[in-house]
Amino acid sequence: SYPQRAAALGEDGTVRVVVTAAPDGTVRNVRLAGPSTSPSLNFGTTFPFQGARLPAFPPGADPNGVTIELTVNYILIRR
């Protein structure tokens, strides 16, 4: 969901993160690859992955880890 603080401040933008996970889905690392100018958006994008467990990857996944690159475009619709 849209980070509440960012919404209250009228912030929007794009955040790019790189997530590294073990084949069993355990998240090993999360890093900002392209942060926005909003600390709230950056935190709101990375926090859900901290200590998370994703679904397991199919057999044959790299035992050293799977890298996922994610781009989130936050667009605040003002009415």
Side-chain angles (χ1 to χ4, degrees):
S1 64
Y2 211 99
Q4 290 181 354
R5 177 128 175 96
L9 295 172
E11 299 174 334
D12 53 16
T14 300
V15 181
R16 290 185 307 117
V17 295
V18 176
V19 178
T20 305
D24 70 357
T26 302
V27 173
R28 294 180 177 165
N29 187 44
V30 181
R31 71 176 175 84
L32 285 168
S36 75
T37 58
S38 166
S40 297
L41 293 179
N42 295 336
F43 180 78
T45 307
T46 57
F47 180 75
F49 291 104
Q50 301 294 334
R53 185 172 187 132
L54 305 174
F57 293 91
D62 186 343
N64 295 316
V66 177
T67 301
I68 303 160
E69 296 182 24
L70 174 69
T71 300
V72 179
N73 295 307
Y74 290 96
I75 300 169
L76 187 60
I77 298 173
R78 296 165 178 91
R79 296 184 181 179

